[in-house]
Amino acid sequence: MKIGLIGFGSMGKTHSWCVKNLNYFYRDLPFTAEYEAVCTTKEETAKAAAGFLGINRYTVSEDEIINDKAIDIIDICTPNVYHYETLKKAIKAGKMIYCEKPLCISYAQAKEIAELAEKNNIKGQIVFNNRFLPAIMRAKQLISEGKLGRILSFRCEYLHSSAADPNKKAGWKQNKDICGAGTLFDLGSHAVDLVYYLCGEIISVKSMSQIAFPERIGQDGKLWKTNADEAFYMICKTKTGAVGTIEASKIAVGANDDINLAVYGEKGSLKFSLMEPNWLNYYDGNASDGDYGGNRGYTRIECCGRYPLPGGIFPSFKAPIGWLRGHLHSMYSFLDACHSDKPVLPSLSDGAQVQKVLELALENDKQ
Ligand SMILES: NC(=O)c1ccc[n+]([C@@H]2O[C@H](COP(=O)([O-])OP(=O)(O)OC[C@H]3O[C@@H](n4cnc5c(N)ncnc54)[C@H](O)[C@@H]3O)[C@@H](O)[C@H]2O)c1
């Protein structure tokens, strides 16, 4: 499969690292995938990106890539506001699509894209890479097996400290015109997706946004008035009646890449921390009580790199994993589904479902 890459910043690098290294991590792949061409906004960065990728073709026109018959897949790694137009063109050109989150910057756009993709029978995946960590996959398995029973509540926070420094310059992720919404879209989209994936559809949201530093210096060295949230706090309810909190923040001093997730059911509970991605904590509410504690307590499941075959072979399944491994499995799952007749998940429709929740959060905050 030939891939056209649009945007080559941190995620362009991440996706291309995944494609280039697939063969190390997965045995006897029945397909090959490689980048054919890359597009960025400037000639010199596009040329540098092609050099980095070891390919000859680069351009500043995404249309050139999207309309190229030799290209099967469009990989979208641009800032949020640009996703919609690129998605629309890629769907019309009949390409398979791998698109970074958030899908778009409004629910109306996201819904239109999801419907258009379905109508045109397009295979499209939204990149919610945290779903692809073994601990989260094991959490999904335990919930699907009924080990938690009816889910009653949840907590999910995604914390960074990147905006806690008032001297840090504002970039596009702090500019609402380009990001659509700040930390809510950037980190909140991942947190909402994890709750949606594990606990079901979210139908109502109460929320509050926060801007702690109303002014900073922009990329041009001039004073910049912050117009995108630096933190977002939500109380949510799912279709099945579970209630919980979702928080996204870039002003959490001391945080690195901290997702802390807990799901509480009638029969048990689960806890996960992204800074300790090798472990899933499972509490079996049916374990016997007794003197000195009986058999109760959290079991720390050693998920490590235990992917089913053809994954889990390199490095050894016992070796600790990290953020990049989740991205790698996300990319593998997408390419495998493109090659075979498996469904592509999480789909563009799932991206639209998450976008709906983000929009509910924005609306409630405005009120
Ligand atoms: N899933 C994750 O773990 C994760 C992490 C970070 C960012 N993201 C998402 O990835 C996307 C990109 O973020 P990033 O951090 O890589 O940004 P970035 O600023 O590092 O890179 C953006 C790239 O897009 C290019 N670009 C901008 N406008 C373009 C256009 N109109 N046409 C072609 N190229 C264009 C820029 O030249 C640059 O190469 C965003 O949607 C973001 O939300 C996802």
Side-chain angles (χ1 to χ4, degrees):
M1 290 172 276
K2 302 268 188 207
I3 311 172
L5 180 57
I6 323 258
F8 193 71
S10 64
M11 294 328 289
K13 262 193 193 150
T14 303
H15 293 192
S16 55
W17 182 88
C18 293
V19 171
K20 280 170 176 280
N21 287 285
L22 271 182
N23 277 321
Y24 281 95
F25 291 82
Y26 297 87
R27 182 183 287 162
D28 301 332
L29 287 178
F31 58 82
T32 59
E34 61 187 10
Y35 285 94
E36 171 72 14
V38 60
C39 168
T40 70
T41 38
K42 290 190 205 119
E43 181 95 8
E44 65 268 27
T45 56
K47 187 175 180 186
F52 195 97
L53 293 166
I55 58 178
N56 297 320
R57 291 185 54 198
Y58 59 90
T59 174
V60 292
S61 155
E62 66 174 19
D63 293 354
E64 209 180 287
I65 290 187
I66 293 169
N67 297 322
D68 185 335
K69 295 227 173 340
I71 290 174
D72 309 294
I73 294 170
I74 301 297
D75 182 0
I76 304 174
C77 293
T78 47
N80 310 346
V81 75
Y82 305 115
H83 294 184
Y84 171 69
E85 287 298 336
T86 311
L87 281 161
K88 236 178 16 179
K89 288 190 264 183
I91 292 169
K92 284 190 180 149
K95 305 294 184 194
M96 296 179 278
I97 299 168
Y98 194 65
C99 181
E100 265 303 344
K101 43 52 62 174
L103 188 59
C104 297
I105 57 162
S106 74
Y107 178 52
Q109 286 183 350
K111 188 166 173 279
E112 184 191 333
I113 291 299
E115 286 170 359
L116 204 59
E118 197 169 324
K119 198 172 132 205
N120 288 280
N121 214 6
I122 295 294
K123 287 190 171 198
Q125 184 164 318
I126 173 110
V127 183
F128 284 129
N129 44 295
N130 297 298
R131 285 192 185 203
F132 294 90
L133 293 166
I136 297 296
M137 297 173 87
R138 181 77 179 110
K140 179 73 177 172
Q141 192 181 45
L142 286 166
I143 291 170
S144 304
E145 286 168 354
K147 293 284 197 299
L148 264 60
R150 181 166 67 104
I151 293 174
L152 306 176
S153 73
F154 50 84
R155 292 202 163 87
C156 187
E157 55 180 23
Y158 198 166
L159 311 176
H160 279 187
S161 60
S162 51
D165 175 3
N167 297 316
K168 191 175 174 206
K169 285 186 177 173
W172 71 259
K173 288 182 182 171
Q174 282 74 43
N175 182 352
K176 206 172 160 191
D177 294 342
I178 302 182
C179 63
T183 304
L184 176 69
F185 279 11
D186 203 27
L187 305 182
S189 55
H190 283 296
V192 166
D193 179 63
L194 284 175
V195 172
Y196 163 60
Y197 181 51
L198 296 174
C199 305
E201 191 183 335
I202 296 169
I203 54 165
S204 90
V205 182
K206 295 202 183 306
S207 63
M208 190 176 285
S209 66
Q210 181 184 16
I211 291 177
F213 302 100
E215 288 180 348
R216 23 180 108 234
I217 300 299
Q219 294 295 317
D220 57 4
K222 293 188 189 142
L223 190 68
W224 167 260
K225 299 249 187 231
T226 306
N227 64 10
D229 61 273
E230 293 170 332
F232 225 99
Y233 310 86
M234 296 173 249
I235 303 175
C236 308
K237 187 175 179 176
T238 68
K239 210 171 188 171
T240 55
V243 178
T245 58
I246 300 177
E247 179 183 338
S249 173
K250 288 194 178 175
I251 50 172
V253 172
N256 284 289
D257 197 24
D258 291 14
I259 293 180
N260 296 305
L261 169 73
V263 180
Y264 300 96
E266 280 179 318
K267 295 198 219 160
S269 62
L270 294 169
K271 286 186 187 177
F272 169 77
S273 162
L274 184 57
M275 294 304 284
E276 296 194 356
N278 296 290
W279 308 100
L280 176 70
N281 293 292
Y282 166 54
Y283 187 93
D284 178 359
N286 292 323
S288 58
D289 200 357
D291 291 343
Y292 320 115
N295 292 315
R296 292 204 155 180
Y298 278 94
T299 301
R300 208 167 170 234
I301 302 175
E302 48 184 39
C303 303
C304 302
R306 287 177 166 76
Y307 287 101
L309 286 172
I313 48 156
F314 174 83
S316 157
F317 61 82
K318 292 176 291 203
I321 62 152
W323 177 85
L324 210 44
R325 188 67 184 87
H327 267 287
L328 186 69
H329 198 58
S330 171
M331 180 61 85
Y332 160 75
S333 302
F334 169 67
L335 294 173
D336 186 45
C338 287
H339 168 75
S340 61
D341 234 1
K342 292 179 195 158
V344 175
L345 291 169
S347 65
L348 301 184
S349 294
D350 291 318
Q353 279 299 322
V354 169
Q355 196 96 44
K356 188 173 170 180
V357 178
L358 301 176
E359 192 138 307
L360 287 175
L362 285 171
E363 277 168 13
N364 190 261
D365 178 52
K366 225 185 260 174
Q367 283 167 23

